[in-house]
């Protein structure tokens, strides 16, 4: 079975001190050329897709509030706009930006991702993300300030209910977006100059969604995109987000620590699919890993970055240090747990991205586990997902 590989792009890399590493480009982080070069390198390595991180507040070392650190990267460009910028300059690689569900209207997300799918000719995806930090509420002013600044998620059962609400809202948001993507049938645009008819009004549909969180009439303002339904992906660590992914997503990123953990997580994801009544197709399960790759001293390079940052790197995902060939062996071992692919988080950009494309990829190709060329132009097809018909189209 051929592995799928994606790369998660974020700032100067996933180590907080990455911007201070040799070869980093901190002066270019907020330029379009920086992102174009990274994505072009990922496409050179035949990767399935890249993801772009985003948030509604400045990065922080604290889970629930801003910090006062001045020695780490703060600030970022909008993920959907980065993807739109690089789309015309690439031809095969998938582009999957993050866009939130907690403070962002699903109508705006729907037209943004559909537009990206048009611009990229069928290579767009979306990673919906919830935002629970209380300080973010003040950026929008439309929600009560909950939870309070001094709450403790571990001790506060109210926060658990709040988290459930955030995921329930996110599931509704994805459903609204998916319906809006279907609200134009594929042949709704007539463009008949002779008769003066541009659109067949019978093939534009109200979605009439009414739920606890949203009431959206539709239709979308954006015609149905090349994939029909752009890829939806999500990051999950436990039962609640597993069930969200099973309801809403095509791909789920998980965070095993070792081979046995990967087996248990795959079983939990499949159990979540059964719990929510998901039918075909099953979720594509990708494991996330933070990677530092070098021929000789990857661990030493990471240790020097830890020293610069003043603490050992803390991550939700497994942190790998070693050679590209050693990482290839680990991925092939973990694949046996039932993983379809991996989303790699480069510790330092562009260093570890280049090590992935020019070291890891050839090692996997030599093992017969990775493609030698792109086989499809669209992102859904690359993952073995059919292009769905609009749910509103009449079946003849």
């Amino acid at each position: 079975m051929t592995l799928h590989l994606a790369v998660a792009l974020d700032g100067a890399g996933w180590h907080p001190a990455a911007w201070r590493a040799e070869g980093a480009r901190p002066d270019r982080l907020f330029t379009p050329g920086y992102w174009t070069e990274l994505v072009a390198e990922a496409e050179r390595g035949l990767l399935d897709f890249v993801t772009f991180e985003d948030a509604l507040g400045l990065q922080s070392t604290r889970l629930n509030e801003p910090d006062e650190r001045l020695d780490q990267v703060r600030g970022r460009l909008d993920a959907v706009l980065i993807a739109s910028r690089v789309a015309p300059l690439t031809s095969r690689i998938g582009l999957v930006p993050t866009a939130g569900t907690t403070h962002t209207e699903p109508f705006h997300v729907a037209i943004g991702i559909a537009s990206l799918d048009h611009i990229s000719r069928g290579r767009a995806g979306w990673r919906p993300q919830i935002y629970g930090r209380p300080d973010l509420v003040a950026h929008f002013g439309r929600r009560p300030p909950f939870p309070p600044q001094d709450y403790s998620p571990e001790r506060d059962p109210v926060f658990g209910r709040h988290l459930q609400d955030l995921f329930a809202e996110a599931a509704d948001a994805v459903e609204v977006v998916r319906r809006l993507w279907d609200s134009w049938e594929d042949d709704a645009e007539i463009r008949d100059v002779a008769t003066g008819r541009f659109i067949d009004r019978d093939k534009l549909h109200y979605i009439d969604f009414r739920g606890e969180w949203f009431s959206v009439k539709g239709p979308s303002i954006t015609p149905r995109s090349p994939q029909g339904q752009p890829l939806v992906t999500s990051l999950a660590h436990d039962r609640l987000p597993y069930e969200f992914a099973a309801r809403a997503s095509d791909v789920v990123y998980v965070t095993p620590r070792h081979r046995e953990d990967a087996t248990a997580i795959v079983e939990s994801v499949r159990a979540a699919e059964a719990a929510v009544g998901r039918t075909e197709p099953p979720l594509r399960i990708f494991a996330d890993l933070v990677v530092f790759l070098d021929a000789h001293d990857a661990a030493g390079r990471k240790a020097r970055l830890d020293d610069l940052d003043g603490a050992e790197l803390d991550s939700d995902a497994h942190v790998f240090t070693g050679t590209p060939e050693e990482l290839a062996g680990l991925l092939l071992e973990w694949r046996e747990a039932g993983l379809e692919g991996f989303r790699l988080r480069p510790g330092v950009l562009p260093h570890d991205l280049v090590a992935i494309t020019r070291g890891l990829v050839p090692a996997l190709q030599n093992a017969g586990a990775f493609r030698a060329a792109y086989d499809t132009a669209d992102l859904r097809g690359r993952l073995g997902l059919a292009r769905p018909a609009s749910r509103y189209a009449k079946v003849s």
Side-chain angles (χ1 to χ4, degrees), residues 55-76:
L56 298 177
L58 291 177
Q59 298 95 320
S60 176
T61 56
R62 299 171 184 167
L63 179 62
N64 305 309
E65 60 184 356
D67 62 18
E68 302 300 325
R69 295 193 68 157
L70 303 177
D71 61 339
Q72 297 178 352
V73 171
R74 294 293 182 264
R76 51 166 43 102

Side-chain angles (χ1 to χ4, degrees), residues 224-306:
R224 198 153 194 259
S225 71
Q227 292 184 104
Q229 290 279 324
L231 195 74
V232 178
T233 76
S234 57
L235 174 65
H237 301 95
D238 206 345
R239 180 189 60 81
L240 186 60
Y242 292 157
E243 291 184 358
F244 166 75
R247 288 189 177 96
S249 301
D250 304 300
V251 174
V252 61
Y253 314 122
V254 297
T255 53
R257 296 290 178 170
H258 46 74
R259 166 68 169 78
E260 293 74 18
D261 193 23
T263 299
I265 288 174
V266 169
E267 292 173 354
S268 295
V269 170
R270 299 306 179 205
E273 290 179 317
V276 304
R278 182 186 179 103
T279 56
E280 295 292 328
L283 276 167
R284 273 46 175 173
I285 306 175
F286 282 45
D288 270 20
L289 293 90
V290 181
V291 298
F292 297 84
L293 301 175
D294 272 301
H296 303 293
D297 191 29
R301 184 163 60 88
K302 175 187 170 294
R304 289 188 288 276
L305 292 172
D306 289 344

Side-chain angles (χ1 to χ4, degrees), residues 40-122:
E41 180 63 34
E43 185 169 74
R44 179 192 179 282
L46 307 175
L47 303 187
D48 289 81
F49 57 90
V50 295
T51 64
F52 304 94
E53 298 300 303
D54 209 343
L56 298 177
L58 291 177
Q59 298 95 320
S60 176
T61 56
R62 299 171 184 167
L63 179 62
N64 305 309
E65 60 184 356
D67 62 18
E68 302 300 325
R69 295 193 68 157
L70 303 177
D71 61 339
Q72 297 178 352
V73 171
R74 294 293 182 264
R76 51 166 43 102
L77 302 180
D78 180 272
V80 176
L81 295 183
I82 292 174
S84 297
R85 177 65 178 87
V86 303
L89 305 178
T90 55
S91 61
R92 287 291 184 269
I93 194 162
L95 306 168
V96 183
T98 296
T101 59
T102 308
H103 300 284
T104 309
E105 294 296 333
F107 191 93
H108 294 151
V109 174
I111 63 176
I113 301 301
S115 297
L116 176 61
D117 205 41
H118 281 288
I119 294 167
S120 65
R121 300 182 179 179

